[in-house]
Amino acid sequence: MKHIQNKVAESRRTLPVTFAICIGIWLTAGLIQHQWWIQFGCFALSVAVMTELDNNNSLIRIYSRAVTASYALLSCVPCFLFPSTSGAVFQLCLVTSLFCLFKCYQDKQAAAWAFYTFLMLGLASMASALTFWLIPVVWLMMATTLYCLSWRTFTATILGLLCPYWFALAWILCFNEGDMMPLLEHLMETGHYILPADYLSLSASQILTFALLTILTITGIVHYSRKYFLDKIRTREIYYSLMMLWGLATLLLIIQPQHDDTMLRVIIIAGSPLLGHFLALTSTRVTNIASYVIAASVVLLTVFNLWMAS
């Protein structure tokens, strides 16, 4: 007899119900009152891209929408991030870049996909200059886990990253009278740091959200480290790539907590597949109880964040 955990993870109704819940959270947070249509549109598109990422890479070896459902729900927990248009655009671009990146697996001739990957990262960097902090680890993923880094693909990544700035430069020259200061000020945000880190400025919502996301992702990592051999090699390498991205984002957020608008989104993107893998592919009495605890924690923290935001 299947546990409720597995019935929910394998149900075809899970994703529609989850998205309906997410819409309810957005409405409660003030979607209509504050006119967050662009932010909500980016969220909805990112859920669609995450679904395709899951489908194309078979992140779970059975039929399950646990990865996408986990991503959608975890994205709604930090509702204090909803007002940020730049953050929403960054999140959509980063999910799309990962979708393109995993197309490069073991193909050192995949210059087109490498270009698209870094084109999306370039667009993400225009929304948040902190994207540049992530680029070295993406190159590292290409070299060590995805095995697609070559001079051909590396050149494509440089061109893709620079492409949005070529258009931005043309816009500045044509419509902004050559004033480069807004672009330079934006790029200078990459080097914005506070030492020592200002933890006192963090709200209870930010601290609790980071703590919950960290616990859930570590749960997924521990589970995957015990069961990785059951997946195909390609799937393993993708999960290892996500762990690297999660580790970097977590470290950066600990060192510079003022960048939570960007780094919490990276943690959600990298951690939700690991949580989805845990929920879909465990079936013991203990993990069934754990799934109840996870669900209750997500609901309670979402309600708390909504209340604090109001």
Side-chain angles (χ1 to χ4, degrees):
M1 182 177 178
K2 288 185 177 181
H3 294 291
I4 293 178
Q5 165 197 353
N6 304 109
K7 291 180 180 178
V8 171
E10 297 173 22
S11 173
R12 295 183 180 274
R13 298 189 184 94
T14 296
L15 188 55
V17 171
T18 297
F19 197 71
I21 293 171
C22 292
I23 292 174
I25 294 171
W26 275 85
L27 290 172
T28 305
L31 171 62
I32 297 176
Q33 297 94 315
H34 301 292
Q35 299 293 296
W36 291 333
W37 301 114
I38 295 176
Q39 296 92 320
F40 178 75
C42 289
F43 162 73
L45 286 173
S46 70
V47 172
V49 174
M50 181 62 79
T51 303
E52 287 304 307
L53 188 154
D54 183 17
N55 290 341
N56 279 263
N57 297 285
S58 302
L59 295 181
I60 298 180
R61 55 184 177 272
I62 61 173
Y63 176 84
S64 175
R65 292 301 184 197
V67 167
T68 308
S70 297
Y71 169 74
L73 289 174
L74 293 183
S75 294
C76 290
V77 171
C79 55
F80 50 85
L81 299 181
F82 287 178
S84 175
T85 302
S86 60
V89 172
F90 165 82
Q91 186 168 344
L92 173 59
C93 290
L94 183 59
V95 174
T96 307
S97 72
L98 290 177
F99 173 80
C100 298
L101 177 63
F102 296 148
K103 293 278 190 180
C104 300
Y105 179 71
Q106 284 192 342
D107 187 357
K108 294 186 177 182
Q109 303 301 315
W113 285 114
F115 175 84
Y116 299 144
T117 298
F118 276 75
L119 173 64
M120 298 311 301
L121 288 175
L123 293 173
S125 72
M126 300 193 79
S128 173
L130 301 179
T131 306
F132 289 110
W133 290 4
L134 306 177
I135 288 173
V137 81
V138 176
W139 279 327
L140 184 62
M141 288 157 55
M142 293 176 68
T144 61
T145 57
L146 301 177
Y147 311 109
C148 60
L149 189 63
S150 64
W151 283 111
R152 183 183 179 89
T153 55
F154 180 75
T155 303
T157 64
I158 298 297
L159 293 175
L161 187 62
L162 293 177
C163 187
Y165 290 93
W166 290 340
F167 287 99
L169 181 61
W171 174 272
I172 289 170
L173 292 175
C174 292
F175 301 103
N176 205 31
E177 299 180 353
D179 183 8
M180 300 286 291
M181 283 308 299
L183 179 60
L184 294 176
E185 290 174 358
H186 172 73
L187 294 176
M188 287 173 64
E189 293 177 11
T190 305
H192 174 61
Y193 57 88
I194 299 175
L195 292 176
D198 185 12
Y199 296 109
L200 296 178
S201 64
L202 296 176
S203 66
S205 292
Q206 291 171 307
I207 295 171
L208 291 174
T209 299
F210 174 69
L212 179 63
L213 292 175
T214 301
I215 292 170
L216 295 182
T217 306
I218 291 176
T219 300
I221 291 174
V222 171
H223 155 72
Y224 198 80
S225 66
R226 295 177 62 248
K227 300 293 183 180
Y228 70 92
F229 57 88
L230 297 174
D231 282 329
K232 296 179 180 178
I233 294 176
R234 185 177 190 274
T235 307
R236 295 181 209 170
E237 301 298 346
I238 289 174
Y239 276 106
Y240 295 153
S241 300
L242 293 172
M243 290 178 198
M244 292 170 62
L245 187 61
W246 171 82
L248 175 66
T250 301
L251 178 62
L252 291 175
L253 188 54
I254 292 173
I255 295 173
Q256 295 294 293
Q258 72 274 15
H259 295 313
D260 66 300
D261 181 53
T262 299
M263 293 304 153
L264 278 179
R265 298 175 191 273
V266 181
I267 290 171
I268 291 169
I269 291 169
S272 53
L274 290 158
L275 176 62
H277 194 281
F278 168 79
L279 293 174
L281 296 174
T282 55
S283 57
T284 66
R285 184 169 177 269
V286 173
T287 59
N288 190 50
I289 295 173
S291 69
Y292 291 147
V293 174
I294 290 171
S297 300
V298 169
V299 170
L300 290 174
L301 184 55
T302 303
V303 172
F304 176 78
N305 287 343
L306 287 170
W307 176 66
M308 292 297 290
S310 65

